[in-house]
Amino acid sequence: MPDHKPYRILALDGGGTWALMQVKCLRKLFAETFNNPDATGHEVLSYFNLVAANSGGSLVAAALAENLRLSEIEKIFDEEKIRSKVFSKLGFWEKSLLSSVARIFKIGAKYATKRKHSALKEILPGVAAIDLVNVPSHVALKGNVKTHFLIIGYDYYRNRAEMFRTDINSKASTASIVQKLSGSTDKFTDTGGGITLVDAIHASSTAPVNYFNEPATFKVNNKMKSYWDGGVTGNNNPVLAAVTEVLCNRDQYHIGPIQVLSIGTGSVAQLQYDEDKPVKYDELRAKYEEPGLIRDIQKMSTSILNDPPDTAAFVAYMILNPSMPAKPGDFIRINPVLRPILTDGPNGKHWDLPSGITKEEYVALNAMDMDAVEEKEVSLLKKMCENWLNNEGIPNQSIRSDSQLNCLIGHPDFNAAKTDFKSWFA
């Protein structure tokens, strides 16, 4: 018999320092929904049955499991001293000759993978000391909801996604599928055997090529394994992986209605270079550039952060909402998108910036990488986030939009998304 109590998913995108926006979003949601402006991590997790996360979002997830308050998690991204431990710059002698030459073309690693692992253990000592499979019991409040975790990495040598699960009985795992198809009753798991949540998020957050100098390496089942960022698998937005996980286990756990809160890390969008409507600023329109080796390498090295055109959210939404409601109350995609706005003027419609954002700020944010480590960069990210949270101009990411970028499916602004989130607990 299915449970009539909603099964809730929290999905957290990757995005490096931009994950600061996820924490600020959670603070505002919990302040205005539960009158709890600085909830502990375990208080937040008590409202969700599954947390699926990638890269920067996985760090937020692990900090919630550590039971840091939201204000303390915010400091991980906001304070330069902590931020620089996670993004620890390579010294001159740590860079190879090839890497040094490649940096001339803005290609090549900048940060030390091993020092990131050490920093994560220092920041999150509690979850660094317990096995991954014991995390649900660790985070449970008064034995109520035992929140499971799904962290996504990329297995370097097997060239495939690696799902780090706390649920060793998940029917989405390879082991369970093998047992089902073979009729075996033997107990074995894909991953486990001594890894911690910190190991999992280290794997998930080690972005290749332009970021970290080597894969994350640690023992899994007593064998050394190497991993790159889970975004390499196409799951930078992990919501589709999360929905798949739940549906695989729906019968096993008698899961009833499903509610999804998918939180992004912010994005900046330009119009196509051939946009025919007038633009107030040339910078709102992408420049046409001929494909070429260096440019293509630069583009592909950052493509792990992209989800064109919002594919994961749309497919996950369609799976759960085949009737395609325009405003799905139980599927909330919430993410600030700094993009051009079509505006009426004396000479007709033209593209302009959202209110509260200058041309210089838009250009800077559009050029900003995920490893925003400079103080002025983080300040700009916070301004973008506050503008969105306060409905001052920056819109919310649609699940699907029309040719004029108006919201067709989803929530057009933060307030609309917040209203539906609050309705879950009315």
Side-chain angles (χ1 to χ4, degrees):
M1 179 71 70
D3 191 345
H4 293 294
K5 187 176 181 180
Y7 185 101
R8 297 195 182 103
I9 297 170
L10 174 63
L12 301 170
D13 289 18
T17 311
W18 293 59
L20 170 68
M21 298 193 190
Q22 293 175 337
V23 189
K24 285 184 168 293
C25 173
L26 286 170
R27 288 193 74 175
K28 192 166 181 70
L29 286 177
F30 272 70
E32 300 190 11
T33 303
F34 308 110
N35 194 28
N36 190 355
D38 197 16
T40 66
H42 292 182
E43 287 172 339
V44 172
L45 293 172
S46 70
Y47 291 95
F48 299 95
N49 303 82
L50 174 68
V51 177
N54 182 64
S55 199
S58 74
L59 176 51
V60 174
L64 293 172
E66 183 71 15
N67 205 29
L68 299 180
R69 290 193 175 275
L70 290 174
S71 60
E72 295 173 312
I73 302 174
E74 199 170 318
K75 288 179 182 178
I76 295 173
F77 304 98
D78 195 10
E79 291 192 358
E80 193 277 336
K81 185 177 180 181
I82 303 175
R83 200 168 59 234
S84 63
K85 288 182 178 180
V86 177
F87 291 100
S88 178
K89 292 184 178 180
L90 293 169
F92 177 81
W93 298 109
E94 292 178 297
K95 300 175 184 176
S96 68
L97 177 60
L98 177 61
S99 178
S100 297
V101 172
R103 286 307 306 167
I104 297 173
F105 302 100
K106 299 182 180 180
I107 302 168
K110 294 176 279 186
Y111 307 108
T113 301
K114 288 185 174 67
R115 288 201 290 275
K116 173 167 71 73
H117 199 189
S118 298
L120 294 174
K121 291 176 182 177
E122 179 185 334
I123 295 166
L124 307 167
V127 291
I130 60 174
D131 196 279
L132 178 65
V133 298
N134 294 326
V135 172
S137 297
H138 175 72
V139 305
L141 283 181
K142 298 178 181 178
N144 292 329
V145 176
K146 288 192 175 181
T147 311
H148 276 292
F149 288 75
L150 178 68
I151 308 297
I152 302 171
Y154 168 78
D155 188 315
Y156 182 86
Y157 289 108
R158 295 172 71 202
N159 195 28
R160 55 164 284 175
E162 184 76 270
M163 303 296 185
F164 296 96
R165 295 180 174 88
T166 56
D167 183 4
I168 60 174
N169 297 310
S170 171
K171 289 190 174 181
S173 73
T174 304
S176 294
I177 295 171
V178 170
Q179 286 176 282
K180 180 178 177 63
L181 295 179
S182 66
S184 170
T185 57
D186 294 338
K187 289 287 184 181
F188 62 96
T189 58
D190 294 330
T191 56
I195 74 165
T196 68
L197 182 57
V198 167
D199 292 331
I201 68 167
H202 179 48
S204 182
S205 62
T206 304
V209 185
N210 265 10
Y211 306 102
F212 289 94
N213 65 332
E214 59 184 331
T217 304
F218 49 85
K219 283 188 177 181
V220 179
N221 292 323
N222 294 317
K223 295 179 180 178
M224 292 303 295
K225 302 275 290 200
S226 297
Y227 301 96
W228 283 127
D229 191 297
V232 175
T233 69
N235 288 290
N236 192 58
N237 176 351
V239 68
L240 182 56
V243 168
T244 302
E245 184 80 12
V246 175
L247 293 181
C248 284
N249 292 295
R250 193 164 209 171
D251 291 343
Q252 176 179 208
Y253 298 137
H254 308 293
I255 294 169
I258 298 169
Q259 293 178 324
V260 177
L261 177 63
S262 170
I263 309 180
T265 55
S267 59
V268 183
Q270 288 179 292
L271 302 166
Q272 295 187 94
Y273 70 88
D274 57 354
E275 169 62 36
D276 51 10
K277 287 188 176 64
V279 294
K280 185 171 182 179
Y281 306 108
D282 289 340
E283 290 81 359
L284 296 180
R285 199 163 22 205
K287 290 182 179 179
Y288 176 78
E289 295 179 315
E290 287 284 351
L293 178 61
I294 299 300
R295 185 172 293 115
D296 289 351
I297 292 173
Q298 292 170 339
K299 194 175 185 68
M300 291 301 101
S301 69
T302 58
S303 65
I304 63 169
L305 297 173
N306 297 323
D307 181 27
D310 316 324
T311 306
F314 181 70
V315 174
Y317 151 85
M318 279 299 305
I319 290 171
L320 296 178
N321 298 276
S323 63
M324 295 183 67
K327 188 171 173 290
D330 284 345
F331 193 104
I332 301 172
R333 173 61 177 169
I334 187 164
N335 183 44
V337 180
L338 176 53
R339 62 165 177 82
I341 304 292
L342 194 58
T343 306
D344 284 317
N347 299 317
K349 291 185 179 293
H350 69 278
W351 294 100
D352 201 349
L353 282 169
S355 61
I357 299 294
T358 67
K359 180 187 76 171
E360 290 73 24
E361 289 169 339
Y362 173 82
V363 170
L365 284 161
N366 190 40
M368 195 180 299
D369 213 337
M370 73 166 191
D371 55 326
V373 293
E374 302 299 329
E375 201 63 46
K376 63 181 181 180
E377 293 177 319
V378 176
S379 294
L380 202 49
L381 289 179
K382 289 192 286 188
K383 179 175 180 179
M384 173 180 167
C385 185
E386 293 298 334
N387 179 299
W388 166 66
L389 290 175
N390 295 317
N391 273 56
E392 293 173 353
I394 294 177
N396 189 57
Q397 180 186 23
S398 305
I399 295 172
R400 189 49 51 98
S401 57
D402 63 18
S403 61
Q404 297 183 351
L405 305 184
N406 297 311
C407 178
L408 281 176
I409 300 172
H411 300 83
D413 54 50
F414 176 81
N415 277 353
K418 179 184 68 178
T419 298
D420 272 353
F421 179 74
K422 292 173 73 172
S423 74
W424 292 4
F425 309 98

